[in-house]
Amino acid sequence: MKKWLFSCLLALPLTGFSQEHFIGMSTSNRTGMLNTNLNPAELVNLSKKYEVNINGLSVNVSNNIISMSDLNSDTDFEDLIFKSGKSVNMNIDAEILGPGFAMKWNKWGFGLSTKGNVKFVLVDVDPNLGQALFNTSDITETGTALINNKNNQRFNGISWGEVGLSAARNLFENDQHKFSAGLTFKFLFPGSYSNAGVDAFKGTIISQYDAANPSNSNAYLTETTAALNFSYSGDLSDSFTNQSDYTKSIFGKLGGVGTDIGFNYQWKDPNNAKKYKINAGVAFRNMGSMSFSDSKNASNSYVLNIPTGQFLDLSDFSNLESLKDVERVLINSGYLVSDKKSSDFKVKLPATFSIYSDFKVYGKFFVTGHLQQKMSNNEGNNQVTAQNNFSIIPRMCWNYFETFIPYSHNELSGSNFGFGFRVGGFYLSSSSLITALGNNAKQFDLNFGFRWGFL
């Protein structure tokens, strides 16, 4: 298992990652399908009567340990992360926008969208446990670590696809104000899933270093209790180190539904009826769940108990490639007691609440504020995780060109400054570029895409 994390990091850049997807562009003055991805009520505010989304890609890796200055050609990710002394949280979150179409008609707006999602996370992983599991061949000293972690430590990966049908309507409009509401109904296509949950872990790790022959060094677990969950489906049931498994089966069979609900208010610009002085909205997104029912499915819960005087050799996990292998080793050890087993299982979407406002300060200068708050507990074994995020985005807007410098604060990576621009329907931006250039960022992201509006 030693190089599993490095393999995941290499696999996912092919699709992209983000915390708050398409930051800056989703609240653009040029209203399009990216805006409706944030709030379906924005459909009635489309800058053009019709819009076609060609593609969209967002790329981000965030964590609470490693900054850009820590990275070099000899970087050992596991060594950097698990020797920090802090609980490890990492989020690799993907969103790929496929073909889509939107239109305005009288007081209505309608949209059709396609989207792929890929996600890998670590949640509250104890550094001593992580080091013992993934770096057993790098043990350099003999010692004892006592762990008492009351949280549910998770290693989780998931991929799924969406097809969204959206509708919005103007509920009120006069010369100064406009108020609208919108709804997106999503058909969900679960692809692959893999989850290892280690809840209420209490135990002792004993490391033994052999100076004469370091390769014989090892770590053992003793006096340990925990509640474990192993869930897997699709390609991720066979391996969590194979890069292509995270991306080759994003769209599975239809397996669930979800909804986005939003409301929008505009205070119109008295000098231009097609523009605004304030554009504000609230949205509840990703409410729903999906069922995994692949032939490779399993969702098994156990109680782990290693008594005093008995030891589990952690080197037994060093060359494993799947959760099924990990589960098999633990069962064969005799320290697991089965609690609950099932084949099919449901996974909840990462529900969030968003509120934003874009304010015209003067002329072409606007400032946007956006708050995203998760509505679920990331420790749940059947929960897709979400992150809290706040951003302030000053921007200059013209008809065919727009540029902005976003500031964002994420609960994992802290504060970041970025840069972005739009030329017509093409956009390119990063919410952490400026911070990354200074080598202080614990996040790096990039998003780009193209959409075409007409009439």
Side-chain angles (χ1 to χ4, degrees):
M1 291 171 69
K2 176 173 167 47
K3 294 302 177 186
W4 68 279
L5 179 56
F6 182 70
S7 298
C8 293
L9 294 174
L10 288 178
L12 291 171
L14 298 175
T15 56
F17 330 103
S18 182
Q19 308 275 348
E20 177 192 333
H21 291 293
F22 303 98
I23 187 170
M25 289 308 305
S26 60
T27 52
S28 171
N29 187 260
R30 187 268 194 206
T31 306
M33 292 197 70
L34 283 178
N35 303 69
T36 65
N37 188 45
L38 173 63
N39 183 353
E42 293 277 7
L43 271 171
V44 297
N45 300 328
L46 292 176
S47 296
K48 300 291 185 178
K49 186 174 181 180
Y50 302 102
E51 177 161 295
V52 177
N53 189 75
I54 307 302
N55 56 36
L57 180 65
S58 185
V59 181
N60 176 295
V61 176
S62 299
N63 76 103
N64 67 328
I65 303 295
I66 302 175
S67 64
M68 297 294 292
S69 60
D70 296 321
L71 305 180
N72 55 59
S73 59
D74 298 322
T75 295
D76 186 321
F77 289 99
E78 289 89 347
D79 190 57
L80 282 175
I81 288 178
F82 295 123
K83 283 190 175 180
S84 66
K86 297 191 298 184
S87 292
V88 178
N89 287 276
M90 175 176 285
N91 192 90
I92 302 175
D93 190 5
E95 189 168 292
I96 311 100
L97 301 183
F101 175 76
M103 63 174 289
K104 291 189 299 185
W105 182 70
N106 292 332
K107 294 183 177 182
W108 289 87
F110 301 98
L112 170 67
S113 61
T114 57
K115 184 192 302 183
N117 303 271
V118 177
K119 194 176 185 72
F120 175 79
V121 298
L122 303 181
V123 179
D124 290 329
V125 176
D126 185 277
N128 293 306
L129 181 60
Q131 179 76 1
L133 285 174
F134 302 111
N135 275 352
T136 53
S137 62
D138 289 342
I139 293 173
T140 57
E141 60 183 21
T142 297
T144 299
L146 303 177
I147 301 175
N148 187 5
N149 192 326
K150 298 179 180 180
N151 300 322
N152 186 26
Q153 304 172 64
R154 296 182 66 197
F155 307 82
N156 180 267
I158 184 172
S159 65
W160 79 95
E162 301 178 8
V163 175
L165 299 176
S166 303
R169 193 182 192 282
N170 251 344
L171 301 179
F172 171 82
E173 183 174 9
N174 61 21
D175 293 338
Q176 290 184 310
H177 308 285
K178 181 166 69 171
F179 182 74
S180 60
L183 171 71
T184 295
F185 187 80
K186 303 177 182 180
F187 296 94
L188 306 176
F189 299 84
S192 297
Y193 189 74
S194 182
N195 182 79
V198 183
D199 193 17
F201 182 95
K202 184 177 182 180
T204 302
I205 296 175
I206 299 175
S207 300
Q208 296 181 345
Y209 177 62
D210 188 340
N213 189 355
S215 63
N216 289 334
S217 301
N218 215 337
Y220 301 88
L221 199 58
T222 186
E223 301 177 8
T224 300
T225 58
L228 306 183
N229 172 265
F230 297 103
S231 300
Y232 38 83
S233 179
D235 292 316
L236 290 181
S237 65
D238 297 322
S239 172
F240 51 72
T241 61
N242 188 348
Q243 301 176 18
S244 63
D245 287 340
Y246 284 86
T247 57
K248 68 183 181 183
S249 60
I250 295 178
F251 270 83
K253 298 179 181 179
L254 178 63
V257 294
T259 56
D260 296 348
I261 300 173
F263 302 91
N264 175 259
Y265 164 77
Q266 282 192 356
W267 178 16
K268 297 181 181 180
D269 188 337
N271 299 318
N272 188 336
K274 296 183 178 181
K275 302 293 183 179
Y276 59 76
K277 291 180 67 68
I278 294 178
N279 183 60
V282 296
F284 299 87
R285 296 184 292 159
N286 292 322
M287 296 179 293
S289 63
M290 51 191 159
S291 298
F292 284 83
S293 56
D294 188 88
S295 59
K296 302 176 182 179
N297 262 35
S299 179
N300 303 325
S301 297
Y302 302 92
V303 175
L304 174 67
N305 184 21
I306 306 175
T308 301
Q310 298 188 33
F311 302 89
L312 175 64
D313 189 343
L314 294 179
S315 66
D316 292 342
F317 301 96
S318 59
N319 296 313
L320 304 184
E321 294 188 353
S322 73
L323 288 185
K324 285 193 290 188
D325 294 336
V326 175
E327 187 178 22
R328 174 181 50 78
V329 169
L330 287 170
I331 291 174
N332 291 340
S333 73
Y335 297 127
L336 280 190
V337 176
S338 179
D339 183 37
K340 181 180 180 181
K341 291 190 175 183
S342 62
S343 53
D344 296 351
F345 56 90
K346 285 188 176 183
V347 174
K348 298 177 183 178
L349 291 179
T352 60
F353 167 74
S354 292
I355 183 170
Y356 63 91
S357 179
D358 189 35
F359 174 66
K360 180 179 180 180
V361 179
Y362 180 78
K364 305 295 184 181
F365 180 54
F366 290 74
V367 175
T368 303
H370 179 206
L371 173 68
Q372 175 179 286
Q373 180 71 36
K374 62 188 177 186
M375 299 170 60
S376 56
N377 187 344
N378 287 343
E379 292 188 12
N381 286 313
N382 64 340
Q383 177 66 58
V384 182
T385 63
Q387 304 300 328
N388 297 329
N389 195 87
F390 173 72
S391 58
I392 298 176
I393 310 164
R395 69 178 80 234
M396 294 295 295
C397 302
W398 291 268
N399 287 335
Y400 293 97
F401 180 75
E402 177 179 351
T403 185
F404 48 91
I405 301 178
Y407 162 80
S408 62
H409 184 86
N410 182 274
E411 67 174 305
L412 286 188
S413 59
S415 297
N416 291 281
F417 286 92
F419 173 77
F421 68 90
R422 171 186 62 84
V423 179
F426 174 79
Y427 56 90
L428 175 66
S429 70
S430 167
S431 65
S432 61
L433 178 62
I434 295 175
T435 311
L437 291 175
N439 288 328
N440 294 319
K442 290 184 173 66
Q443 169 180 320
F444 183 76
D445 65 286
L446 180 71
N447 64 77
F448 61 89
F450 181 73
R451 63 267 175 86
W452 178 45
F454 55 98
L455 298 183

